[in-house]
Amino acid sequence: MAASQEQQQKTSLREALALDQIALSDTFSGVSIRTFWGRLFGGQIIAQSVIAASRTVPDDRPMHSIHGYFILAGKLDLPLLFRVIRVRDGGSFATRIVNVLQENKIIFTMTASFHRPEPGPEFQIPVKELRAILRYQLQNRDFGEHSDLRPSGVPTPEDLIESGDSTVFLDMSGNIERVSVGSGDRWQMWWGRYGGPGAEKLDPEDWRLHQALVTYMSDFGMVETAKQPHLNKTEFSLSMSLDHALHFYHKVDAAEWLLFHIETSVSSGARGLARASVFTKSGVMVASIVQEGLMRVPRKSTAKL
């Protein structure tokens, strides 16, 4: 049964992620959040797939990576069906495949891996390198020296709002707050968190929900960043996400501000690549994202002979 427009307009992000389990099986159903462009938001489908997969694994195995492919554009007026395949349950890792269907057609497929936490060596980009990269990209903006993100000197959301340099932007669900830090010819930087009017308090121990919310945010700005080197030079007739990969390195809190630093390095053949690193305010890199997007230009008409 198709969902009414009124129902979709009232769907919150938490409601969209509260999938219904069907007949106590590994199949779930969900609803969509209405978008202004008339198609499903890719981040919503990925986040819902994360919820579906994670509900089939034990509580002691949080997700560490996903790899997904967008196959067909989803329809807003139809519910979504999530079929989870239990590929393997090992001593430390669990692997799942999620196929998302509408009208008996797969519109998105994803492989997810879950890992029981264990001790090991830790490393991330050195503080000096991170500071040099971010300060270079923000060199035209004077934010002073004080910031909670001390390794990079990036202004906090509070700094930006108080100074009037940026305002809080709510996504179409009304539950994701974003504050822009800046952008350049091949990069953009913004803060994001779960919040907004009426946002429910999150259980800090619910790793499934926190990872799903960060996954939802991970699709923002990726294709747009891949297109940035071509702005004012190229007209695009169609752009959309093709595939999406996400890795988690630490426990995340989606209700706390996270810095998304997105860059593009290559585009060719109507496809562009974007990469992102996600940091806490204290400078800890908690996740990384890679996405390839379709950037189609108008096709030249061929004269008939």
Side-chain angles (χ1 to χ4, degrees):
M1 179 181 296
S4 70
Q5 180 174 342
E6 182 180 359
Q7 288 175 322
Q8 292 180 37
Q9 288 177 333
K10 292 182 178 180
T11 301
S12 69
L13 182 50
R14 290 288 295 275
E15 290 170 336
L17 295 178
L19 303 182
D20 293 323
Q21 187 178 23
I22 299 176
L24 298 178
S25 69
D26 289 343
T27 300
F28 304 83
S29 66
V31 295
S32 299
I33 298 167
R34 181 157 293 275
T35 64
F36 66 85
W37 59 88
R39 298 195 307 269
L40 291 183
F41 171 50
Q44 173 207 303
I45 304 174
I46 313 172
Q48 289 172 315
S49 298
V50 166
I51 289 291
S54 65
R55 284 174 61 176
T56 69
V57 300
D59 292 340
D60 65 347
R61 297 193 187 188
M63 185 181 73
H64 75 90
S65 70
I66 60 170
H67 294 78
Y69 288 88
F70 297 96
I71 299 172
L72 293 171
K75 298 180 179 179
L76 287 171
D77 59 345
L78 292 176
L80 297 152
L81 195 66
F82 300 83
R83 290 179 178 168
V84 182
I85 302 172
R86 301 188 185 217
V87 179
R88 182 176 184 270
D89 286 284
S92 299
F93 290 87
T95 307
R96 299 290 186 265
I97 292 175
V98 183
N99 290 322
V100 185
L101 295 88
Q102 282 186 327
E103 299 179 310
N104 208 34
K105 297 177 182 178
I106 297 176
I107 65 171
F108 177 75
T109 185
M110 182 188 84
T111 302
S113 184
F114 301 81
H115 182 207
R116 177 180 291 143
E118 56 184 290
E122 294 191 5
F123 172 82
Q124 71 169 58
I125 180 173
V127 171
K128 290 184 179 180
E129 291 185 27
L130 181 62
R131 181 185 297 116
I133 293 170
L134 300 187
R135 282 190 179 277
Y136 172 76
Q137 292 182 332
L138 295 171
Q139 61 184 321
N140 293 326
R141 304 187 69 173
D142 181 15
F143 296 115
E145 296 298 321
H146 303 289
S147 169
D148 288 345
L149 193 66
R150 290 179 175 84
S152 63
V154 173
T156 66
E158 294 83 2
D159 294 335
L160 292 162
I161 296 169
E162 184 178 351
S163 65
D165 283 298
S166 189
T167 57
V168 175
F169 171 76
L170 292 175
D171 81 312
M172 54 272 183
S173 74
N175 296 136
I176 297 297
E177 297 179 314
R178 298 171 65 197
V179 176
S180 175
V181 178
S183 63
D185 58 351
R186 67 176 193 89
W187 63 274
Q188 65 170 288
M189 203 182 304
W190 51 271
W191 292 97
R193 70 176 180 183
Y194 172 79
E200 301 174 32
K201 186 176 180 179
L202 302 180
D203 179 355
E205 299 305 317
D206 188 352
W207 60 262
R208 293 176 176 86
L209 182 57
H210 284 273
Q211 288 191 330
L213 289 168
V214 174
T215 300
Y216 178 89
M217 288 187 274
S218 72
D219 193 34
F220 284 126
M222 298 297 282
V223 174
E224 288 80 1
T225 301
K227 291 164 60 176
Q228 280 177 206
H230 311 286
L231 294 181
N232 303 320
K233 296 182 291 185
T234 304
E235 176 187 356
F236 294 100
S237 59
L238 179 66
S239 59
M240 63 177 63
S241 305
L242 291 174
D243 58 55
H244 195 88
L246 173 62
H247 291 82
F248 284 101
Y249 308 113
H250 296 279
K251 181 180 178 180
V252 293
D253 187 342
E256 295 294 329
W257 288 109
L258 296 170
L259 179 70
F260 289 74
H261 179 218
I262 312 173
E263 298 179 289
T264 184
S265 56
V266 64
S267 54
S268 178
R271 290 174 286 112
L273 187 74
R275 302 175 184 270
S277 299
V278 185
F279 299 91
T280 65
K281 289 175 76 172
S282 61
V284 177
M285 183 175 173
V286 293
S288 64
I289 312 158
V290 179
Q291 184 180 106
E292 187 175 52
L294 178 66
M295 307 186 307
R296 184 168 286 164
V297 297
R299 297 179 180 179
K300 296 180 180 180
S301 59
T302 302
K304 296 182 179 180
L305 299 178

